[in-house]
Amino acid sequence: MKKLIIPLVLGLISINSFGFEIFALGTSNTNCKNAGQAFTVKLNELLALDKIDAQAVNAGVDGDRPAFMMPRLEQGLKNYPNTKMVIFEPGPNERNPRFNLGPSEEILAHLQKIQMPTIYVSHKLIQSPEEAGEMAKKYGAYYYGDWIQGIPVDRDHRQFDMGSSGGHMTVQGCQLWAKNMMPLILQVIKEKNIK
């Protein structure tokens, strides 16, 4: 009898108890490199505070490039079939705009085709906010802005692991990024009637 009960309990624990998922696809910025996934952890706290039955899923991979993200997106949507929003942050790891923006547009076009509400997050090393805003609009995505907007360049918020530019965010920086993004997430939920 015990042999039957343990798998049953484990199976019940693994069943998703959230109304829907928000799939955060990106790079070390989304993963909050060296900061313990603080971005999606904080998003989940904020969603719970707002009594939104959702879970933000961290799909950020350190060093990733847009050319390799489509298979991860497709697999992620299979693994989380109740995904109703994607946050897409292609990052600056691929500095050649042709190889960054081309695959990024393919991902945005795919998300538009499957009618997945999407928040697009840009990086100033790849495109200006104006260019990024136009690209988001072209594919029906919501534009958040540059990933680092509103995050102070100081030791509380940035790791300074990549020189004087500030580098990756600290836990506090990632948490602030989540707070800054939350109003846009709420706007998407409301406008797209996500439940």
Side-chain angles (χ1 to χ4, degrees), residues 62-113:
D62 297 354
D64 204 8
R65 298 174 183 209
F68 307 118
M69 291 184 183
M70 182 66 89
R72 225 159 28 85
L73 171 64
E74 292 172 335
Q75 187 59 51
L77 295 180
K78 284 180 187 171
N79 292 344
Y80 297 94
N82 208 22
T83 296
K84 295 192 179 176
M85 183 188 310
V86 169
I87 298 169
F88 175 43
E89 176 266 317
N93 295 321
E94 176 55 74
R95 297 291 174 94
N96 183 325
R98 176 177 162 211
F99 297 114
N100 187 306
L101 298 177
S104 294
E105 288 200 64
E106 288 176 21
I107 289 169
L108 288 170
H110 175 73
L111 290 166
Q112 182 182 41
K113 182 179 178 183

Side-chain angles (χ1 to χ4, degrees), residues 81-158:
N82 208 22
T83 296
K84 295 192 179 176
M85 183 188 310
V86 169
I87 298 169
F88 175 43
E89 176 266 317
N93 295 321
E94 176 55 74
R95 297 291 174 94
N96 183 325
R98 176 177 162 211
F99 297 114
N100 187 306
L101 298 177
S104 294
E105 288 200 64
E106 288 176 21
I107 289 169
L108 288 170
H110 175 73
L111 290 166
Q112 182 182 41
K113 182 179 178 183
I114 64 172
Q115 299 181 340
M116 179 65 67
T118 301
I119 294 173
Y120 177 61
V121 181
S122 67
H123 198 293
K124 64 184 176 185
L125 291 177
I126 305 303
Q127 60 190 157
S128 71
E130 294 76 24
E131 292 166 333
E134 283 301 313
M135 192 165 97
K137 185 177 179 182
K138 177 180 177 182
Y139 295 102
Y142 290 79
Y143 180 51
Y144 170 77
D146 186 82
W147 73 286
I148 204 69
Q149 71 178 4
I151 309 295
V153 182
D154 60 29
R155 297 247 172 231
D156 288 336
H157 297 89
R158 305 290 289 280

Side-chain angles (χ1 to χ4, degrees), residues 39 43 87 119 121 144 176-186:
F39 172 63
L43 280 181
I87 298 169
I119 294 173
V121 181
Y144 170 77
L176 180 56
W177 185 29
K179 288 179 189 174
N180 291 347
M181 189 175 288
M182 194 61 186
L184 184 55
I185 290 172
L186 295 175

